Amino acid sequence: MKIFAPDYYGNFSCIADKCRHSCCIGWEIDVDPKTAEYYKSIPGGFGKKLRENIDFSPEGGSFRLCENDRCPFLNDRNLCEIYINLGEEALSQICDDHPRFRNFYDSRTEIGLGLCCEEAARIILEKESRTEIVEIGKDEEDPYPSEDEDVFFETRERVFAALQNREKAIAERISDAFAIFGAVSPETDYGKWAENCLALERLDESWTKVLEGIIKNPAPPEIKDENAAEQLLCYFIFRHFCPEYPKISLAFSVLCFYMTEKAAEQVGLNEAARLWSSEIEYSDENKDLILRIIFDEEVL
Ligand code: SF4
């Protein structure tokens, strides 16, 4: 089966100790079963440290987080001791994979970089040329032919083309994308959506402050950088637009975009993207609740 990715995908490498919001702090970190077995077999003092800092379970295990939810193997220079002692191939699957995400279709797998990583956000938002989705390899799975899926990818191409039409302002491009489905671009009530987000589980106190700031000033944001806005929109479409509910997932992607732009008034676009992604995209529960509101309110 073919694997596709945005054309910036290969530009990523982790900036490790230069990262201000390390993914090794503040998140539960699972250890996959194969890696857990490997860690059990490591001899000497480092092997002992591994076994003392992992809660093993039938599913593999998870690292026992330290103060401030730091991974126990993140040293005081914010470098990974497992990487230093055992090499990159010894990392558990989630550590090796982050910030990559995958979407599985019948005929292909797609892989992207998640905005919750500040280096991924920098690469995506600073990209000047139009983003293309390109084939980057193959895996061992056989494709499952589906005519419906061909229609979906053709439709997504039309959505990308509308959003990447640099002859038009961003709001017009979004209207054109909705017009593909015979729909009108819904109004975004920023204060209401900030209140909805405040009712969800939150990770970071600074996100709470941003939401409170939006409630105080719910006026629509000014789009300051149309190029970064285009990249942001295309990122959300690539990640969330789906064949099962295309109109709703388009509305969700556009909401992600507008709320990130609104949050950017307070913290800048890169940080707003990182916060939105960490708080909403990386929580299936939060994402589902927002999709449910879009669906129930029949905004389209
Ligand atoms: S958030 Fe990104 S850049 Fe920072 S440590 Fe994690 S993978 Fe590396």
Side-chain angles (χ1 to χ4, degrees):
M1 190 131 82
K2 290 176 179 173
I3 304 174
F4 288 78
D7 54 5
Y8 53 73
Y9 176 78
N11 299 346
F12 177 77
S13 64
C14 171
I15 55 173
D17 54 330
K18 294 178 195 67
C19 181
R20 286 163 304 152
H21 299 95
S22 170
C23 53
C24 312
I25 304 172
W27 301 82
E28 298 276 330
I29 308 168
D30 291 336
V31 181
D32 60 278
K34 198 169 150 214
T35 308
E37 286 310 308
Y38 173 59
Y39 289 167
K40 284 180 193 168
S41 74
I42 301 295
F46 191 67
K48 185 165 178 277
K49 182 171 177 183
L50 276 167
R51 288 182 284 283
E52 284 173 355
N53 285 281
I54 294 172
D55 285 322
F56 291 101
S57 69
E59 295 78 40
S62 60
F63 293 112
R64 280 188 200 145
L65 300 183
C66 302
E67 204 181 338
N68 299 325
D69 288 341
R70 287 176 70 89
C71 173
F73 294 97
L74 191 63
N75 70 17
D76 51 12
R77 289 172 51 221
N78 275 2
L79 292 169
C80 172
E81 284 182 7
I82 296 177
Y83 188 104
I84 292 167
N85 282 281
L86 302 174
E88 187 175 359
E89 56 288 351
L91 295 177
S92 81
Q93 198 211 342
I94 200 163
C95 299
D96 192 34
D97 234 24
H98 191 82
R100 296 163 187 86
F101 65 86
R102 287 174 182 73
N103 286 335
F104 298 99
Y105 300 93
D106 287 343
S107 58
R108 62 162 83 173
T109 299
E110 293 193 339
I111 182 163
L113 303 173
L115 278 176
C116 71
C117 161
E118 64 187 49
E119 176 61 1
R122 187 193 67 73
I123 290 168
I124 295 167
L125 298 175
E126 289 183 2
K127 185 172 190 284
E128 288 182 4
S129 58
R130 287 183 180 88
T131 290
E132 290 178 35
I133 310 304
V134 294
E135 190 184 328
I136 59 162
K138 284 193 172 69
D139 61 22
E140 280 155 22
E141 299 292 315
D142 285 331
Y144 185 82
S146 154
E147 271 177 38
D148 286 354
E149 218 166 64
D150 289 346
V151 173
F152 165 73
F153 286 117
E154 279 162 28
T155 308
R156 192 178 71 176
E157 275 309 307
R158 291 173 64 202
V159 172
F160 276 131
L163 297 176
Q164 291 177 325
N165 180 357
R166 295 184 176 182
E167 307 282 305
K168 296 189 177 182
I170 288 291
E172 265 183 284
R173 302 188 210 178
I174 291 173
S175 295
D176 289 349
F178 278 102
I180 292 168
F181 302 94
V184 175
S185 182
E187 292 284 312
T188 304
D189 183 335
Y190 295 93
K192 187 198 83 174
W193 279 109
E195 276 172 15
N196 287 337
C197 291
L198 267 181
L200 304 177
E201 189 190 13
R202 276 160 285 124
L203 295 170
D204 190 329
E205 188 52 29
S206 62
W207 179 234
T208 303
K209 289 202 181 103
V210 167
L211 294 172
E212 289 167 351
I214 294 175
I215 291 167
K216 277 190 203 131
N217 167 22
E222 185 192 339
I223 307 296
K224 293 209 174 101
D225 179 342
E226 295 232 333
N227 194 57
E230 174 188 307
Q231 302 296 354
L232 192 58
L233 273 164
C234 291
Y235 163 86
F236 285 128
I237 291 294
F238 178 70
R239 184 155 190 173
H240 300 295
F241 189 62
C242 66
E244 292 81 15
Y245 42 92
K247 250 198 306 187
I248 297 284
S249 58
L250 172 63
F252 176 77
S253 304
V254 169
L255 176 73
C256 292
F257 164 73
Y258 275 128
M259 287 301 285
T260 304
E261 288 283 349
K262 183 65 189 162
E265 289 178 340
Q266 297 173 67
V267 292
L269 191 60
N270 289 40
E271 175 62 357
R274 188 193 70 78
L275 279 169
W276 178 270
S277 178
S278 310
E279 300 280 345
I280 308 294
E281 280 187 329
Y282 276 81
S283 162
D284 287 342
E285 199 182 332
N286 286 353
K287 183 184 160 188
D288 287 349
L289 285 165
I290 289 188
L291 282 167
R292 169 59 53 194
I293 296 171
I294 293 174
F295 186 79
D296 286 349
E297 294 193 353
E298 296 177 1
V299 292
L300 297 169

